[in-house]
């Protein structure tokens, strides 16, 4: 069995750090320093799925499922509870606040209309023909204004949106760098690992430089695939070092660490959450099943397992407001963080 520290050190020494690392480190340092000076708690919130490229000049990659809803929604609730948020997210995944008007669900162009008639002699800024204003349709203004004000306040004060990652390597280098910058926060730091992290990758020495050509793929022993298509592509992946243990023991030894465990088979969930807790000795594993992740999650900590669920439709007290499960998850996490802080304060 390879020593995890060896495999982990080898991983970081044999994979190139992301070009954004110096900028991310400097941004995190300035953000943490500012909020530490104001005695504000800081949560590093990871969101979205990481990819595993199959070629250096990447055309194909293995992706991990995540739209970023969990992370983006949770960030809004942490901000509303006074936490400063460092948002480490996957490129093109959902973001706090703008998620309400994302490209797929509520296309923002559907909320806009043209306003104002172009009178004779009206001129545009460039001296050309005047153009009408673009305004938000009346029925959407109140809600959009509320989101816009929260977004602006967050961006000005307590939300750091880092340049996004794509690959698992970029994610791990950045997570390690930011965790180190957060060490000065001690117990006031919280890690909320909602990102869907790859468990396997192609090491650099086995990575193709250019796009893998279907014709190049070695003839498999059983010849072309039974469907009569092209030759098979056999991919040989190595396990990604289990970085969570290093995060708990070295990168952020005093912080509260919460990881998420994703399963599709409910029969496995509790066991896998307990395995993760036993293996990494962090504070809380939030288990969720892909199919029901928006309605229920399982809080697993030492000695206990508790479901957190949205009220079912017949439980609703008549309120038309859609309740988001993150509005239940985040306060429960904060409750545990505060309990840990009180305990650490009492024991000195
Ligand atoms: C990805 C979702 C389901 C949210 O979905 P969207 O709202 O659509 O974004 C999230 O709740 C989640 O389970 N995130 C964690 C998923 C995940 O990959 N968990 C890993 C642990 S991640 S970090 C731990 C690392 N793999 C390691 O073991 O060291 C696992 O289940 O094994």
């Amino acid at each position: 069995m390879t020593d995890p520290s060896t495999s982990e050190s080898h991983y970081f020494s044999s994979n190139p750090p992301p070009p954004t690392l110096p900028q991310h480190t400097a941004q995190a340092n300035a953000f943490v320093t500012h909020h530490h000076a104001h005695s504000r708690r800081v949560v590093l919130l990871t969101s979205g799925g990481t990819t595993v490229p199959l070629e250096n000049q990447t055309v194909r990659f293995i992706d991990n499922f995540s739209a970023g809803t969990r992370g983006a929604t949770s960030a809004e609730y942490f901000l509303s509870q006074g936490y400063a948020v460092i948002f480490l997210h996957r490129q093109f995944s959902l973001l706090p606040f703008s998620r309400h008007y994302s490209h797929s669900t509520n296309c923002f162009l559907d909320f806009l209309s043209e306003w104002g008639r172009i009178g004779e002699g009206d001129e545009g800024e460039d001296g050309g023909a005047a153009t009408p204003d673009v305004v938000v349709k009346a029925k959407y203004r109140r809600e959009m204004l509320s989101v816009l004000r929260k977004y602006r306040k967050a961006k000005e004060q307590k939300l750091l949106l880092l340049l996004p990652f794509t690959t698992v390597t970029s994610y791990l280098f950045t997570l390690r760098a930011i965790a180190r910058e957060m060490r000065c926060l001690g117990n006031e730091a919280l890690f909320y690992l909602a990102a869907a992290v790859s468990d396997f990758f192609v090491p650099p020495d086995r990575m193709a430089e250019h796009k893998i050509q279907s014709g190049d793929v070695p003839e498999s022993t059983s010849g072309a695939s039974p469907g009569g298509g092209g030759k098979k592509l056999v991919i040989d992946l190595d396990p990604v070092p289990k970085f969570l243990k290093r995060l708990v023991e070295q990168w952020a030894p005093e912080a509260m660490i919460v990881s998420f465990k994703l399963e599709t088979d409910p029969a496995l969930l509790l066991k896998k959450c307990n395995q993760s807790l036993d293996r990494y000795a962090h504070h809380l594993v939030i288990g969720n099943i892909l199919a029901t992740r928006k309605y229920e999650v399982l809080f697993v900590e030492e000695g206990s397992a508790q479901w957190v669920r949205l009220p079912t439709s017949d439980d609703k007290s008549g309120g038309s407001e859609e309740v988001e499960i993150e509005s239940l998850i985040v306060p429960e996490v904060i409750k545990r963080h505060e309990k840990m802080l009180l305990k650490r304060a009492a024991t000195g």
Side-chain angles (χ1 to χ4, degrees):
M1 173 85 170
T2 313
D3 169 13
S5 60
T6 311
S7 65
E8 188 245 276
S9 306
H10 177 67
Y11 181 89
F12 283 111
S13 60
S14 60
N15 284 280
T20 51
L21 197 61
Q23 181 186 341
H24 279 159
T25 305
Q27 284 178 301
N29 177 280
F31 187 82
V32 167
T33 303
H34 171 77
H35 291 294
H36 186 35
H38 290 78
S39 306
R40 190 171 288 122
R41 295 176 202 163
V42 179
V43 53
L44 173 59
L45 202 160
T46 68
S47 181
T50 64
T51 67
V52 171
L54 298 186
E55 305 114 343
N56 265 329
Q57 299 193 40
T58 308
V59 170
R60 300 181 183 85
F61 54 85
I62 299 172
D63 205 348
N64 270 46
F65 168 81
S66 172
T69 310
R70 179 79 82 228
T73 309
S74 300
E76 291 180 29
Y77 287 105
F78 275 112
L79 286 161
S80 71
Q81 298 298 313
Y83 279 70
V85 176
I86 301 177
F87 195 68
L88 178 55
H89 64 285
R90 162 68 180 280
Q91 188 180 38
F92 306 133
S93 65
L94 291 174
L95 295 177
F97 307 108
S98 64
R99 71 182 176 95
H100 299 278
Y101 304 99
S102 71
H103 51 286
S104 54
T105 45
N106 283 331
C107 174
F108 75 97
L109 292 174
D110 293 335
F111 294 76
L112 304 178
S113 61
E114 293 186 32
W115 177 260
R117 300 186 61 73
I118 301 171
E120 283 304 314
D122 278 356
E123 280 200 349
E125 285 153 11
D126 55 3
T131 49
D133 287 334
V134 175
V135 293
V136 176
K137 292 174 184 171
K139 65 178 177 179
Y140 302 115
R141 279 181 202 150
R142 183 183 305 279
E143 183 194 340
M144 199 174 259
L145 186 60
S146 166
V147 173
L148 176 65
R149 285 172 174 165
K150 288 176 189 170
Y151 168 70
R152 280 184 171 157
K153 185 181 172 195
K155 279 276 278 184
E156 283 159 17
Q157 297 167 8
K158 296 191 287 179
L159 174 62
L160 175 59
L161 291 178
L162 294 170
L163 280 175
F165 61 80
T166 303
T167 68
V168 63
T169 300
S170 170
Y171 170 81
L172 292 176
F173 269 101
T174 308
L175 177 65
R176 181 177 71 166
I178 297 175
R180 287 169 169 169
E181 296 305 321
M182 290 174 68
R183 253 194 293 219
C184 63
L185 296 165
N187 308 148
E188 300 288 333
L190 171 63
F191 288 75
Y192 187 89
L193 303 173
V197 182
S198 318
D199 287 312
F200 301 96
F201 77 110
V202 178
D205 60 354
R206 294 211 303 267
M207 175 90 79
E209 174 58 29
H210 294 287
K211 175 191 165 190
I212 300 168
Q213 299 301 315
S214 52
D216 294 356
V217 172
E219 189 70 32
S220 66
T221 47
S222 56
S225 55
K231 296 171 186 168
K232 287 180 180 176
L233 173 60
V234 177
I235 300 171
D236 178 12
L237 302 177
D238 285 0
V240 171
K242 295 299 179 191
F243 69 90
L244 214 45
K245 193 160 187 62
R246 189 54 65 97
L247 177 68
V248 172
E249 292 176 352
Q250 291 192 16
W251 302 348
E254 297 179 83
M256 175 165 181
I257 296 173
V258 180
S259 72
F260 279 78
K261 173 59 71 178
L262 175 60
E263 294 298 338
T264 53
D265 179 354
L268 289 180
L269 189 61
L270 179 58
K271 179 185 154 199
K272 299 288 270 182
C273 290
N274 278 317
Q275 268 179 0
S276 183
L277 212 54
D278 294 346
R279 183 184 292 174
Y280 305 120
H282 52 311
H283 303 89
L284 172 64
V285 179
I286 302 179
N288 50 180
I289 296 296
L290 184 63
T292 60
R293 70 188 187 280
K294 292 182 185 285
Y295 315 111
E296 60 180 9
V297 295
L298 180 63
F299 272 56
V300 179
E301 46 210 317
E302 194 177 339
S304 84
Q306 169 197 347
W307 281 102
V308 174
R309 288 188 169 103
L310 282 184
T312 54
S313 51
D314 48 10
D315 290 352
K316 276 185 190 152
S317 52
S320 58
E321 192 67 23
E322 270 303 301
V323 179
E324 297 168 317
I325 192 164
E326 289 79 10
S327 69
L328 306 179
I329 295 172
V330 170
E332 283 298 326
V333 169
I334 292 173
K335 203 188 294 179
R336 286 157 173 79
H337 192 198
E338 287 174 343
K339 186 177 171 187
M340 172 187 153
L341 290 168
L342 285 172
K343 190 174 174 187
R344 294 284 171 87
T347 55

